[in-house]
Amino acid sequence: MKRTTGLLIILIATCALVFGAGAKEQVTQTVQIEEEVTQMGPLNSNPLSDVRVRQAIAYAIDMDAIIEGLLPGAVAADSLTPNNEWKVAGLEAYSYNPGKAKQLLKDAGWDSAKVLDLVYYYGDQQTVDLMATVQAYLADVGIKVVPRKLEGDLNSQLWVAPKDPVNGTSAVAWDLAYAGLAVVSQYEYYNRFLSGAATNSHTPGNAELDALLDAVNKTNKVAEQKEYFGKIQQFENKYLPIIPLYYQQLFVVESDRLTRNGAGYGNEQYAYDWKIQTWDIKPNADGRKVMKANGGPLQFFEAPFVAPAIFTSQKVLFDRLIVADGGLQNFRGQLAKEYSVSADGLTISFTMKDNIYWHDGSPITAQDVKFTWELAAKVSSVNVLFSGLFKTIVGYADFNTKKTNELSGITVKDNTVTFKFASIFPNALVALSQLPPLPQKYLGTADPLQIQQSPYWQNPIGSGPYMVKEVRMNNYCVLVPFGKYHEGRGIIDEIQLYPSGESDPNLVKNALAGQLDYGWTKSLTDANALKSVAGLKVMPYDMNYTRLIYVNKFAK
Amino acid sequence: MQEREVVLEISGLKTYFPIKTGIFKRTSGFIKAVDGVDLKVFKGETLGIVGESGCGKTTLCKTIVMLNSACEGKILWHDDEFGSIQLPTKDKKQLKHIRNRIQYVFQDPQSSLNPAFTVFGAMDDALKVNGVKSRKERRQIVCDLLRSVNMREDALDLYPHEFSGGQRQRIGIARALCVKPELLICDEAVSALDVSIQAQVLHLLCDLKNRLGLTFLFITHSLSVVEYISDRIAVMYLGRIVELGDTDDLFQNMFHPYTQALRSAVPVVDDSQRTTRILLSGDVPNPADPPPGCAFHERCWRCMPECKVETPKLRSYKVNDKDYYVACHEVHEKLKDKENETNGNK
Amino acid sequence: MNSMQRRLNKKMDILLERENSGPLKKKNLNRALRRALQNKLALVGLGIFLSIIILCFFAPLFTKYDPLKINIRASLQSPSAAHIFGTDTIGRDIFSRILYGGRLSILIGFGSAIGASFLGVVLGAWAGYRGGWFDFLMLRTSELFLFFPQIILCLLLVTMVGQSVGNLLGIFIFTGWCGIFRMTRARMLSLREEEYVQALKVLGVPEPIICYKHVLPNALGPVFVNITLSTAIFILQEAALSFMGLGVPLEIATWGNILNVANNLNILKVNWWIWLPVGTMISLFVLSINFIGDGLRDSTDPSQQG
Amino acid sequence: MQQEIVLRISNLHTNFYTNMRCNKVLKGVSLEVERGKTLCIVGESGCGKSVTAASVMRLLPDLARIESGEIVLYDEGREIHIEALDKYGKSMSDLRGSKIAMIFQDPMSALNPVYSIGFQIIEMIKRHTKISASIAKEKAVSLLREMGISSPETRIKDFPHQFSGGMRQRAMIAMAMSCEPKLLIADEPTTALDVTVQAQIFSLMEKLKKEHGTAVMMITHDMGVVAEMADDVVVMYMGYIVERGSVQQVLKNSTHPYTVGLMRSIPMIGKGKKQKLQPIRGCTADPYDTSPGCPFVTRCDFSIQLCHECIPEESTVSGNHKVRCHNPIQKGAVDART
Amino acid sequence: MLTYTIRRLLIIIPMLILASFLVFLGLELMPGDAVSFMADPETLANMDPAKLDAVREQLGLNAPFLVRYLRWLSGVLKGDFGYSLTSGVPIKQIVFQTLPATIELSLAALLFSTVLGTILGIVSALRRGRMTDNVLTVAGLLGMSVPQFFIGLVSLFVFAINLGWLPIGGRLRPGYESFIDRFPHLVLPAVVLGLALTAGVMRYARSSMLDVANKDFIKTARSKGLSEWRVNFIHGFRVAMTPVAILLGLRLPTLIGGSVVIEQVFQWPGIGNEFLSAIRGQNYPLVMMIAFFMVLATMVSSFLIDLVTALLDPRVRLS
């Protein structure tokens, strides 16, 4: 479950910021929806298709109390869009109001004998408690809910669209589904409500919403996008196709022995300008500078195709072509000396630095970059960020159908590599700042469908500031500074990584044992536990990740 | 002699138990518990079978009541109703019939009664099987039985632990009698009892025999007991009968060296009955691996060369005008002339 | 040895005194039961056991709180007069949760023990009594089960059939029968050689009646002891499975599920009242069962006179 | 021959304290064992004969104790009061094996199954003598040879389960005799054996007794054994010695109704159906019964009023022949009744 | 003895084949298609169905049942145990990485519980009915009554977190190569894992000793004038140990099963931890193979214990 959760959470909204590169100042606008939400009564036999019922659910849940009691540190949500520049003002917060909820239910003629099926798929205690709490709050206003944990193939139980996307009978069994939604861009927050979207198992097509989404999908002007997304937020705020619960935070943990020497903070699930070579730590009793962290390998070093930098090892062992700041904007070259984007946005080219080497001492070439993206295009499981990129590259269709052996859209000339796109992919730079070039000479013969099985991932030859010295899978791995690193040798003598997946209770255990100088977690429970450990600071970071309840409005 | 009615006829009976050894638990040999026994039991007589432990006397009797299965030979039950039944039988009717004809009294008063059942409970099911439908009737039958073994009726609802050893043995006898058998096999029925009690039970058995006209097959290791109770005695050694004859004749003659040794080894109270002790060397051989020829030859002081080669047959001789059987080469030399011509009939 | 000898002497003096002072009345109670009652530990065990059973089954009399009543604003309160064991992460009263959760845990423990024993006894009696291929087959099957660490088998089955109380009961019965099977079988193997069994055969009583009516009751003594002991084991197993999040669904309160929160180091460190009382409750209950089982075993075991 | 007493037991009371009851097993046992003689203790099961032996060896279970009385071992002029020794103490364990040895009913369970016969004999020799291991081994081999075990050099390495029943008992005797004890206690040594083997064992014991002058205290329930083996006899009933004396006196001239009854209820070999068994009626009383009279009174054909009122004291019939009866049967009276 | 050994071995082989078949059957009965567990729903929704089919084909999921079983079995015999679904790593590699840790832990626990349990059991038997015995009896029952993971948590809380005497978890640390270095990591998990078994062994050793104390040969030993020490240890203990060894053989599965829980509590990087995360991740091939390995481990170790038992008992050894 942990792993699934991890994978789910990887997809964090970033591309909006790229788009917003030109429009940094906060534009707050209130867009009025011209018409009232047209449909107030039930759409079909399913009482949940009645807006009033959904509003009643929203009013019935006291999210502030839940956060205070169960989820300290979380932020209550009033929309899918988190509290950033894309957020429109004046949304109804649906604050706790059981009286109003009851009234709404009465108006909607709610049948109190009906039992709703609330499904969830996280196995942790906190989720179970939350479900119990939601159940209790809803019971207070007369809605019977029975939580049920899903097992097995989640996809076929959660996200199967009905044959008729407007009136059709539901293809899934649940009424309410508790889930987390983490996206790359605002589009992905909302495009799943398009009628006929492949994963839209819950919301019958609505012409008004479809029109708004259509409009926003057709423009690449930031101001227009903001306007439309604002309208969508307001529409959903009224129409409530989902009940937003809270925004999740990410917590960075550092011991007070560690100094980052000015390197910034960011969304730790992604590669950003970490500058770890400049980090410093107080020497231990032996006079050596040793940093202990989690995010080490369990059975292998995680390949970067799905989660490019969620493990500490991935961040430290590899450099990218370009690197962004903590908010994943303002790129600068890392392995690339410089990069340029054409005016139409369809060509991006990178000139590689001269003094860049793999950890085995051989030089990193532009061909490695091309190879990496061609490999990514063949790998069975990749992050949407990357698949979005290579799918828009010129010649992808031929490459995918094996008509050509190479992606013609990526060309290499001397130390320059050029990407040509068939259509605009808004997240191109972010994607390029995440997937690190991989050495062709080690991975050239690996099976792309089961890339993780390549022996390379037992002891990878990377390009980053630190390299693997010793690894005992499942126990620890030791990293030491890479002497020929192009931005200077790292200050810390040794980095010890202890194995952990993401949101792993090991983090707390290691911290208690004094074995943690750096780490991060998304678990509120762990963060709260870490706060009480002497010598540790815990810093929350706003990331764009919304927890919500999907409401299935199709007729059963 | 020929007029005596034979109820049970055993011929060439062999009961072997497989010994499983080796990696695959393959049968590597047999314990020859009963190794070729010929025997006739006459109606109304008490036939004593005497022998030391491991000689196969118990196995022989358990084979008769179908608790063990024979691997060779025949057991025939002669009866007015069915003519003769060959045992073991699969026929349900015959089986039920034979279960009511032959009964068994066990040795150990501790384990021969179920501690969880009252006296009545122990016999209840047997009576039910025999079609006694009413509970009252069944209780009456058990009461009568108890009285016939000299016990009080109120013992009916008592549990075994409330009885002494002698009383338990009486109950065991009563249980065997509850189906009105003709042949009662007593397997060491008095061996585990104290001497004073032993005499009581022996009395009871004699009394029952006279009253009910039972036929007894009486197994014991004690020569004095068998002499006291039996009309005829068979001496067994290592799965075979070595000597068989009327009690008086047997005690008078004791042709077989083993019988003699056995007799002489019994400690006696009465000095007048003391005989010169014949000390046998060694133990009874392993029934899984009996010596060739006569099984007794290794311990026998009268061993002849042919004893080591040829297993002596149980031959019939005329002693005092009665059939007398001995299986010994040396004895045969002496008694040749008395050999009974009729033994070929068997 | 001297102090022991002195102690024994004292005990013997008392008995002698009692014997000399007049004829003792014959006691009617079952000897084994009487001996069990003389065992102080067994009595203490019985006391604890009954108190917990009463507490759980008459839970509404002892607590005014609904175990499901959530009061999110009163979460993680330490023990007080209002909540004697405090409240949990979503403000439910822990005391009432322990009582109500106990009902299910005890039900699972006893249900599985009785189910598994029934299965084991029925199969074991026949296998031990009859022998032959049935015995061979069952013996091999039970060996296979014994080679599977039980908790591994449970985990496997839970993932196969899903988490629910019914499933868990079924799984425990399915995985737990072979101990009692082997025990019953072994007892039957020796009992079937008893002479009364042979006597019944000779009397022509049908085999199933001999097996189940006449012989089995004599094999049941140790089996009853085993039922108590396996109840203890099943309760512990339920707790262990729940601790790993794979037992009864987490939203249903059982002792194991309540204890599950101790997985969280912060709660382990700070909110001791969440895990300590329920952990103690499980331990106490299991301990009391073990005390009783131990007393019963001692009293049925003739070699343990004293 | 000068009579030399090896062991004297006087007025021994031993109680068992199991099942929260006090069971008075021995209620005043007195006897003497002489050097080179065999004393047989005879009686029915539960009469206390084995407990007498265990009391002498101080091998009573923890929940039993000697209440009163004396057990005196006479050893080269010394009088050792066994009842006063600590049962687990060194002085008692020094006595066991070297002065008093014991053999048990079932040699299979009396030998430790996991050690070789040799180990168990040598262990005993080394415990009581200061000889080296190799000499002890030689001694064990010669002992086994003396017991009639063929090729003892190899059999000494065998384990008990590889021996036959008779051989096991021989090995037990070899072990018991290894330190030349003054007194050998044999607790039903042949009950588990066949008659022919029993004869072998008895002749072996006779031989040893003659050669070593060992006093033997043998426990048995078989009157035949008594008649053949014993010099002196003690008849026990319900924890009392009811009659004792030489074998002639007790068997030929029985005075206690119980002894008489016993003699008449044994089928005598060679007499066949001609004899008439006269069983003792009833059965042994409850050991916890506390009624004041003679314990045999309920089964006795000769009881008088006094028998119901008190337990008779021991009275002398003639010489060493003593009986505990209010109404002993006079010589000749028995025959008159038959 | 050789016959005995071979026979025990031959009993194990059909059991192993049966176990392997059950494991495979279990794999087949697990809910869902293997491929559907390879990534989270959102990622899967974005994957190309053709690629999924390619993966299915490659994993051999389309062949008939028996073919798959035989293919799987022959693979297992050749040392190819398949691949972890979630990571694609060969299961062999995972097993070889994690099994030594579990073996180390189980052996340590076994050693600890056997030695301590036996000693306490004997002490308890020799001081029967006295204070020591009563205390040990109650302690033994307590050891069997408190949930293992609860003891684990509490001892972690007390000894590692509060007192800081022992490390909180893990097995290896950089630079800690020798066993002595690693020993502190082993102490808590091994002790906690062994505790229940210790209690069992203790109780069993006690009753076995008491049982033997009533045997005739103990009386013989005393009648030989042997010292109490020799009676109890040379004669009593040696015989009493056989049932204890048999008990150990029977309890081994519990020990190995218990390692799943204990490894979880102490973050011991063993196969039990791997098993649990495989179950949580519904990584069925890994789950099944680990289960199979655990059965194999119990079979092999109970075989070894059988041999030891046979060596202890001449009646078996010489037959």
Side-chain angles (χ1 to χ4, degrees), chain A residues 246-525:
Chain A
Y246 66 98
Y247 301 122
Q248 183 143 1
Q249 312 276 294
L250 177 149
F251 302 90
V252 178
V253 190
E254 265 178 33
S255 78
D256 45 19
R257 305 179 338 119
L258 186 75
T259 17
R260 282 214 187 188
N261 279 337
Y265 290 90
N267 187 338
E268 296 290 342
Q269 298 181 109
Y270 284 87
Y272 66 98
D273 204 357
W274 237 29
K275 292 204 185 81
I276 192 170
Q277 65 274 14
T278 65
W279 291 15
D280 199 358
I281 195 160
K282 236 162 73 187
N284 63 13
D286 305 338
R288 286 164 52 77
K289 295 178 169 176
V290 178
M291 178 176 111
K292 292 167 180 174
N294 67 336
L298 289 150
Q299 292 151 2
F300 45 74
F301 288 87
E302 198 91 16
F305 299 106
V306 175
I310 204 161
F311 289 89
T312 311
S313 57
Q314 293 171 317
K315 283 193 211 131
V316 183
L317 288 177
F318 294 99
D319 266 11
R320 279 77 182 166
L321 281 174
I322 50 172
V323 68
D325 64 13
L328 297 190
Q329 38 190 316
N330 299 328
F331 299 91
R332 70 172 180 88
Q334 196 171 31
L335 290 174
K337 206 184 315 178
E338 55 197 30
Y339 74 97
S340 60
V341 185
S342 68
D344 61 0
L346 290 175
T347 309
I348 307 176
S349 61
F350 300 88
T351 313
M352 309 289 283
K353 285 179 181 169
D354 300 324
N355 59 338
I356 49 175
Y357 302 97
W358 297 110
H359 290 158
D360 64 358
S362 58
I364 301 170
T365 64
Q367 174 58 35
D368 285 324
V369 178
K370 179 176 161 69
F371 160 76
T372 305
W373 282 98
E374 284 173 353
L375 179 63
K378 287 188 245 170
V379 166
S380 58
S381 178
V382 287
N383 195 314
V384 279
L385 205 52
F386 304 145
S387 59
L389 183 104
F390 58 64
K391 276 176 185 163
T392 49
I393 288 179
V394 171
Y396 171 75
D398 288 346
F399 181 75
N400 192 36
T401 50
K402 303 218 167 81
K403 277 190 191 138
T404 52
N405 285 330
E406 48 183 311
L407 257 175
S408 56
I410 306 178
T411 50
V412 172
K413 198 182 166 207
D414 297 332
N415 60 349
T416 306
V417 58
T418 308
F419 291 76
K420 283 208 163 63
F421 295 94
S423 60
I424 283 185
F425 177 58
N427 293 333
L429 282 179
V430 180
L432 286 160
S433 77
Q434 295 301 324
L435 186 68
L438 298 169
Q440 186 171 15
K441 71 171 176 181
Y442 291 110
L443 285 165
T445 54
D447 175 6
L449 284 181
Q450 291 176 42
I451 189 71
Q452 192 70 71
Q453 285 173 39
S454 162
Y456 173 81
W457 298 110
Q458 290 300 309
N459 192 344
I461 305 297
S463 54
Y466 284 84
M467 58 192 231
V468 179
K469 181 190 166 206
E470 188 199 354
V471 56
R472 299 288 290 265
M473 284 301 166
N474 225 349
N475 282 293
Y476 62 83
C477 94
V478 178
L479 308 179
V480 290
F482 173 41
K484 289 164 91 174
Y485 186 63
H486 55 95
E487 288 182 3
R489 189 190 157 92
I491 297 171
I492 296 173
D493 295 323
E494 186 174 305
I495 298 177
Q496 295 176 357
L497 298 181
Y498 295 106
S500 72
E502 195 253 341
S503 292
D504 188 330
N506 270 350
L507 192 66
V508 184
K509 280 191 181 154
N510 287 339
L512 287 169
Q515 303 281 356
L516 191 77
D517 293 311
Y518 159 79
W520 63 270
T521 180
K522 294 204 300 265
S523 156
L524 283 168
T525 331

Side-chain angles (χ1 to χ4, degrees), chain D residues 16-34:
Chain D
F16 273 62
Y17 295 89
T18 40
N19 298 329
M20 305 306 282
R21 291 292 300 268
C22 166
N23 183 5
K24 294 174 183 170
V25 181
L26 298 186
K27 303 167 186 169
V29 166
S30 307
L31 53 83
E32 284 153 13
V33 192
E34 289 167 35

Side-chain angles (χ1 to χ4, degrees), chain A residues 62 65 68-70 120 123 125 128-129 132-133 136-137 147 151 509 525 529, chain C residues 68-70 72-73 75 89-90 92 163 250-251 257 260-261 264-266 269:
Chain A
D62 186 356
E68 187 191 318
L70 186 63
Y120 63 100
Q125 183 70 40
V128 174
D129 286 347
T133 316
Y137 275 123
E151 302 285 354
K509 280 191 181 154
T525 331
Chain C
L68 298 174
K69 178 68 193 165
I70 285 163
I72 198 86
R73 292 194 189 273
S75 71
T89 44
I90 47 179
R92 291 172 293 201
Q163 291 172 253
L250 276 178
E251 61 265 16
N257 276 344
N260 180 287
V261 290
N264 177 337
L265 270 179
N266 200 37
K269 257 179 83 180

Side-chain angles (χ1 to χ4, degrees), chain A residues 125-146:
Chain A
Q125 183 70 40
Q126 206 165 50
T127 303
V128 174
D129 286 347
L130 180 64
M131 290 303 100
T133 316
V134 167
Q135 181 186 20
Y137 275 123
L138 293 183
D140 280 349
V141 298
I143 303 176
K144 283 203 189 87
V145 170
V146 176

Side-chain angles (χ1 to χ4, degrees), chain D residues 55-281:
Chain D
S55 301
V56 174
M57 287 300 276
R58 300 299 308 275
L59 286 177
L60 291 169
D62 280 345
L63 286 170
R65 68 174 169 183
I66 297 170
E67 299 292 321
S68 63
E70 282 185 337
I71 306 168
V72 187
L73 180 75
Y74 297 89
D75 175 37
E76 284 141 24
R78 287 187 302 145
E79 288 187 12
I80 305 168
H81 279 259
I82 290 178
E83 85 282 354
L85 299 176
D86 174 10
K87 66 191 276 198
Y88 294 112
K90 185 161 187 317
S91 41
M92 187 63 225
S93 69
D94 281 344
L95 281 186
R96 289 191 201 117
S98 70
K99 303 291 179 209
I100 319 170
M102 186 161 177
I103 51 180
F104 298 90
Q105 175 174 350
D106 179 7
M108 183 68 219
S109 63
L111 287 165
N112 193 325
V114 303
Y115 293 108
S116 68
I117 298 285
F119 176 92
Q120 300 187 47
I121 298 176
I122 295 167
E123 176 188 48
M124 173 141 173
I125 298 173
K126 278 163 75 185
R127 165 68 178 86
H128 295 291
T129 52
K130 289 202 165 59
I131 59 179
S132 72
S134 59
I135 299 174
K137 191 184 169 191
E138 272 170 37
K139 184 159 183 206
V141 169
S142 69
L143 271 168
L144 285 179
R145 187 175 294 121
E146 201 184 334
M147 299 301 144
I149 288 175
S150 55
S151 59
E153 296 83 1
T154 50
R155 300 302 315 247
I156 199 167
K157 291 187 203 107
D158 282 357
F159 289 89
H161 72 274
Q162 292 166 300
F163 273 43
S164 70
M167 271 156 60
R168 276 182 219 129
Q169 197 59 293
R170 285 158 197 260
M172 272 303 286
I173 296 173
M175 192 153 64
M177 296 305 291
S178 63
C179 297
E180 310 222 335
K182 295 188 80 74
L183 174 67
L184 176 67
I185 301 177
D187 187 352
E188 309 234 12
T190 55
T191 310
L193 302 176
D194 281 325
V195 198
T196 53
V197 180
Q198 166 175 301
Q200 298 167 5
I201 298 289
F202 281 156
S203 72
L204 184 66
M205 284 175 70
E206 280 296 312
K207 193 180 104 194
L208 290 171
K209 192 175 80 175
K210 280 205 190 86
E211 284 171 13
H212 301 273
T214 318
V216 178
M217 184 165 121
M218 183 148 81
I219 290 158
T220 181
H221 62 267
D222 185 340
M223 280 298 184
V225 171
V226 175
E228 300 221 336
M229 296 291 295
D231 299 300
D232 299 305
V233 190
V234 158
V235 183
M236 288 187 75
Y237 186 77
M238 300 278 294
Y240 293 100
I241 289 183
V242 292
E243 185 161 10
R244 61 174 167 145
S246 72
V247 70
Q248 286 297 322
Q249 289 166 333
V250 175
L251 296 193
K252 294 277 180 283
N253 201 5
S254 324
T255 47
H256 196 282
Y258 175 63
T259 322
V260 174
L262 268 187
M263 296 298 291
R264 312 177 116 250
S265 56
I266 313 166
M268 302 277 183
I269 200 161
K271 288 190 178 165
K273 290 187 191 296
K274 290 185 279 291
Q275 59 190 313
K276 196 168 174 223
L277 294 192
Q278 290 186 334
I280 306 173
R281 63 192 160 86

Side-chain angles (χ1 to χ4, degrees), chain C residues 107-158:
Chain C
L107 177 80
I108 290 175
F110 273 112
S112 320
I114 289 168
S117 304
F118 181 76
L119 199 63
V121 163
V122 168
L123 293 174
W126 193 244
Y129 179 73
R130 273 319 282 272
W133 63 267
F134 178 74
D135 181 35
F136 180 82
L137 202 75
M138 292 311 298
L139 191 65
R140 294 288 157 238
T141 315
S142 75
E143 265 173 25
L144 193 67
F145 269 92
L146 283 183
F147 276 131
F148 262 103
Q150 201 178 0
I151 196 141
I152 302 277
L153 203 54
C154 289
L155 284 171
L156 278 180
L157 291 170
V158 165

